[in-house]
Amino acid sequence: MNLILIFVGGVLVNNFVMNRFMGICPFLGVSKKTETAFGMGMAVTFVITLASVITYFVRQLLVSLDIAYMQTLAFILVIAVLVQVVELVLRKLSYALYQALGVYLPLITTNCAVLGATILNVDNGYNLVQSAVNGFGASIGFTLAIVLFSGIREKMELSDLPEWMKGFPGALIGAGLMAVAFSGFKGLI
């Protein structure tokens, strides 16, 4: 039961984008088209989930060597390697998606949602399975938020909006309203 709560918490209640405001750069930058948003969501899902598992072992190693203060640097290195793997795979398997993600793909390395998930695993004292579930839930929450937001942005492009609301201002208003909607999940757990 605890794993279900961790997962639902990561997806809805403590959504990294909507409630913790982490990962906003790719959220706003890649959410103009649903296909691109979904691709970014899958890339982030791969990186966060794997980073949550790998950094669990890295943390154990750092603690055993009495250099736990190096965890942030070590976690960033793990994340950077995983992003490079994603970049190589996307370049080979889906070059169109690779080009559509553009500069935002390497920026996953500095995406605070990815590092935030790994550090929250440590702060919450999660074991390996809990870390993996939290990482997966957080990344599914990121994917859910970016895909829903891309749908809203696509509808806004087709709508007859006032001139001042077109483009980025309208996107920020939409993101704010989504954040308000996600705050309704606070009482779920």
Side-chain angles (χ1 to χ4, degrees):
M1 186 63 164
N2 188 22
L3 294 178
I4 293 171
L5 293 177
I6 291 172
F7 179 78
V8 171
V11 174
L12 298 174
V13 179
N14 298 314
N15 186 287
F16 276 97
V17 178
M18 295 291 111
N19 292 327
R20 295 183 187 262
F21 305 110
M22 294 182 182
I24 299 294
C25 180
F27 175 75
L28 292 171
V30 186
S31 61
K32 290 181 182 175
K33 293 187 177 185
T34 304
E35 298 84 23
T36 309
F38 184 74
M40 175 59 87
M42 290 297 99
V44 168
T45 297
F46 175 80
V47 172
I48 289 181
T49 304
L50 228 53
S52 293
V53 171
I54 293 170
T55 56
Y56 175 82
F57 293 111
V58 169
R59 169 77 175 159
Q60 300 305 315
L61 176 66
L62 294 175
V63 168
S64 70
L65 296 173
D66 199 30
I67 54 172
Y69 58 89
M70 296 292 290
Q71 87 175 8
T72 304
L73 179 62
F75 289 4
I76 291 171
L77 291 173
V78 167
I79 293 164
V81 169
L82 290 172
V83 169
Q84 289 301 307
V85 169
V86 168
E87 201 169 349
L88 290 171
V89 168
L90 280 181
R91 189 181 301 157
K92 291 289 182 189
L93 297 180
S94 179
Y95 192 72
L97 179 59
Y98 170 77
Q99 284 193 315
L101 293 176
V103 69
Y104 294 101
L105 187 58
L107 284 178
I108 294 174
T109 302
T110 58
N111 185 339
C112 58
V114 181
L115 183 60
T118 60
I119 290 177
L120 282 172
N121 289 336
V122 172
D123 289 349
N124 292 333
Y126 288 156
N127 62 30
L128 176 61
V129 174
Q130 291 170 328
S131 295
V133 169
N134 184 55
F136 184 66
S139 59
I140 292 298
F142 178 88
T143 303
L144 175 68
I146 196 170
V147 169
L148 288 175
F149 187 58
S150 67
I152 291 170
R153 287 186 76 175
E154 285 179 354
K155 291 286 186 189
M156 287 176 71
E157 283 294 317
L158 300 174
S159 298
D160 187 28
L161 297 173
E163 194 62 37
W164 64 269
M165 200 170 162
K166 291 182 180 176
F168 201 64
L172 289 176
I173 291 170
L177 292 173
M178 266 187 71
V180 169
F182 266 79
S183 70
F185 293 117
K186 283 288 185 196
L188 187 63
I189 296 177

